[in-house]
Amino acid sequence: ALLVTLTSDVGNITPETGTSLTTASEFAKFELFGDGTEGAGFVTASFTDVDGNIYEDVISVMMRTNGQGSDNGSGNGNGSDNGSIEPSKIVFIGATPETIALKGSGGGNGLSEQSTVIFKVTDRSDNGVPGQGVTFSLSTDLGGAALQSSTGTTDTDGNVVAVVNSGALPTPIRVEAVTTVPTIGEVSALSAVLNVSSGVPVSSRFNVYISADQTPCDGNFDTCKMLVAYGFDRFGNPAVDGTTVNFVTNCGGVGRLDSASTGSCVLGESGFGRCSVQWLAGDLNPANPKQCVDGSSIEVVGYTLGEEDFIDNNGNAYFDATAIDLVPAVAPSREREPSLEAGGEPYLDANSDGLHNVGEFFVDWNSNGVRDALTTSSDDLTARPGPYPKTPPPADPPGDDDDLLPYNYTFYNGTACAERLNDDQMPQLGSPNIADENNGAPIVADVDDCSSELIYVWDRVDPLP
């Protein structure tokens, strides 16, 4: 059973905190009682799953005395419950944040997948009107963007909140708020544009290169180089500002120029999904000053958590589990949209032979003690510990829970992985031929075909080519 934590900045919650989801319908029930005060606030419900992922939902509430209306702040969406104060207009106040991450990519990357949009209903003197019902709508629902609630009621200051949840596709969004004024009918206001754009870096759009601006090296170009890392999501938008890129080198040192003096930089510091570090040479080979003192090649590797790329044949922004053609197909038909391998675990290729050799640095993504050339298949030998499918003999037809690698199918890791759900919104088992019974469209991948785990995306550069 999941343990839900409930908090509120108005009223008192019963139970005080922690409710197990033990009912057959898996609801955590609670009640909010007045504490003698009035005003608006938020009730937050959150839980942490077994992998440490935090899920959160927020609703707006308003506490009022019996003389002003119901004690739960409910409204009819168009009318008012405000005593003798007559509304005159509704205005947009602000949105926080104005840029939200793509669905499935926010949270740990420093950017939320929700935006709180505030409007205010006022009278002719610009005083806030409490208890006024307001309805909300979005300018687009592209990619699954949605409102948490389509109605709201103004608080004692006349403010009302709309919560926007991002979708899987990048798009500008505006919120329209509508309320009814008795003398003139409906009045409305539009929010500023919200941007759904920044996700996690994708393997095919993460690079490290020598900067064109070498000014900080002060002319010492044989022993100093400014390097730039850039990362973009799978739609070509800059990755979330605040994404940390780590650097390692087998010769000299590499790090930021500022007082932090760390071996990393943060995307967005240099604008447009970029950040910079400086490489300084240590002892070089006297016979070849473009090599380390031991004669090995100089390499700098930058890496960060991101996702694998894939070819989205049908444009639904998710990694699909079944063939794009309508079913039934000729068995076995467990085809997938092409998943593009990200190059395995990052490593320093000090001898430039194109292979990882014992003693060369590598990032052990799956903590198995060896450098893996594949990090994105469900092969038990290379996958991270978890509920991955078993490996059958390649001669057998693939089953619902089989490893795809022996059949030349691909496994995907990233935010475009979605667990397949049935009509009751419950997890549905995989099948060789699964499609929407209404239109034959493929249904997005289940956990046997992809994982929402992030992988390391990386690139290397020779600072003295």
Side-chain angles (χ1 to χ4, degrees), residues 38-339:
E38 296 182 4
F42 297 93
V43 174
T44 301
S46 62
F47 72 88
T48 303
D49 65 17
V50 294
D51 296 321
N53 300 308
I54 299 175
Y55 302 85
E56 187 175 274
D57 196 14
V58 181
I59 60 172
S60 59
V61 296
M62 185 175 71
M63 304 301 295
R64 298 196 298 267
T65 64
N66 289 336
Q68 289 185 295
S70 62
D71 59 1
N72 61 8
S74 62
N76 61 15
N78 290 304
S80 65
D81 183 17
N82 52 38
S84 60
I85 303 176
E86 183 173 303
S88 175
K89 63 181 182 294
I90 183 169
V91 294
F92 167 67
I93 299 299
T96 305
E98 293 184 353
T99 298
I100 51 180
L102 296 167
K103 183 178 180 180
S105 64
N109 296 285
L111 199 61
S112 174
E113 296 175 24
Q114 287 187 334
S115 179
T116 300
V117 183
I118 302 176
F119 296 88
K120 186 171 186 175
V121 177
T122 64
D123 61 15
R124 289 187 178 90
S125 301
D126 287 334
N127 299 311
V129 178
Q132 180 75 14
V134 179
T135 59
F136 306 113
S137 61
L138 293 181
S139 58
T140 180
D141 59 359
L142 184 67
L147 288 162
Q148 188 164 290
S149 175
S150 60
T151 62
T153 305
T154 57
D155 61 18
T156 53
D157 295 320
N159 294 323
V160 63
V161 174
V163 177
V164 179
N165 296 311
S166 66
L169 294 174
T171 183
I173 295 176
R174 300 184 78 174
V175 180
E176 182 181 26
V178 179
T179 192
T180 299
V181 175
T183 55
I184 61 175
E186 288 187 347
V187 292
S188 64
L190 279 174
S191 73
V193 173
L194 305 177
N195 292 306
V196 182
S197 61
S198 295
V200 298
V202 71
S203 57
S204 61
R205 305 191 193 202
F206 178 80
N207 291 92
V208 179
Y209 60 94
I210 299 173
S211 174
D213 181 11
Q214 294 294 322
T215 304
C217 285
D218 197 25
N220 299 313
F221 303 139
D222 293 333
T223 57
C224 173
K225 277 292 188 297
M226 295 301 301
L227 307 177
V228 176
Y230 73 75
F232 296 88
D233 64 27
R234 63 182 184 272
F235 301 102
N237 303 130
V240 173
D241 287 349
T243 300
T244 299
V245 180
N246 293 97
F247 292 87
V248 293
T249 182
N250 64 323
C251 187
V254 61
R256 288 166 60 174
L257 286 175
D258 60 21
S259 58
S261 298
T262 65
S264 64
C265 65
V266 177
L267 294 181
E269 287 179 333
S270 301
F272 200 58
R274 296 173 297 168
C275 64
S276 302
V277 292
Q278 185 181 64
W279 174 84
L280 295 175
D283 293 333
L284 299 177
N285 184 357
N288 185 347
K290 292 189 176 184
Q291 294 179 341
C292 297
V293 68
D294 60 1
S296 61
S297 301
I298 303 172
E299 270 200 358
V300 176
V301 170
Y303 61 94
T304 187
L305 279 176
E307 64 181 352
E308 187 177 358
D309 207 352
F310 70 101
I311 299 174
D312 188 14
N313 287 331
N314 64 353
N316 69 350
Y318 288 100
F319 182 77
D320 285 312
T322 60
I324 302 304
D325 297 329
L326 301 183
V327 295
V330 178
S333 61
R334 293 192 69 195
E335 296 183 7
R336 306 292 180 269
E337 289 182 327
S339 179

Side-chain angles (χ1 to χ4, degrees), residues 34 231 246 316 363 365 421:
N246 293 97
N316 69 350
V363 181
W365 176 77
L421 304 177

Side-chain angles (χ1 to χ4, degrees), residues 408-441:
N408 295 318
Y409 294 129
T410 50
F411 192 82
Y412 168 81
N413 281 333
T415 63
C417 176
E419 185 174 352
R420 188 158 53 217
L421 304 177
N422 60 23
D423 292 338
D424 297 325
Q425 298 303 299
M426 298 298 291
Q428 177 173 304
L429 294 177
S431 173
N433 294 287
I434 288 292
D436 190 304
E437 61 183 12
N438 297 316
N439 56 24

Side-chain angles (χ1 to χ4, degrees), residues 314-462:
N314 64 353
N316 69 350
Y318 288 100
F319 182 77
D320 285 312
T322 60
I324 302 304
D325 297 329
L326 301 183
V327 295
V330 178
S333 61
R334 293 192 69 195
E335 296 183 7
R336 306 292 180 269
E337 289 182 327
S339 179
L340 308 179
E341 172 61 62
E345 293 174 328
Y347 75 100
L348 278 169
D349 188 15
N351 62 1
S352 300
D353 66 352
L355 302 172
H356 176 263
N357 299 285
V358 175
E360 292 179 326
F361 170 87
F362 73 99
V363 181
D364 195 6
W365 176 77
N366 57 1
S367 303
N368 66 352
V370 295
R371 192 263 166 182
D372 294 312
L374 293 174
T375 59
T376 58
S377 79
S378 60
D379 185 349
D380 294 336
L381 297 178
T382 61
R384 297 185 73 169
Y388 290 98
K390 64 181 182 294
T391 302
D396 295 341
D400 292 349
D401 63 347
D402 288 343
D403 182 3
L404 306 179
L405 191 61
Y407 304 99
N408 295 318
Y409 294 129
T410 50
F411 192 82
Y412 168 81
N413 281 333
T415 63
C417 176
E419 185 174 352
R420 188 158 53 217
L421 304 177
N422 60 23
D423 292 338
D424 297 325
Q425 298 303 299
M426 298 298 291
Q428 177 173 304
L429 294 177
S431 173
N433 294 287
I434 288 292
D436 190 304
E437 61 183 12
N438 297 316
N439 56 24
I443 298 176
V444 294
D446 69 0
V447 293
D448 286 342
D449 307 300
C450 64
S451 164
S452 295
E453 289 184 290
L454 297 181
I455 60 172
Y456 282 111
V457 297
W458 58 289
D459 193 24
R460 60 162 66 101
V461 65
D462 180 353

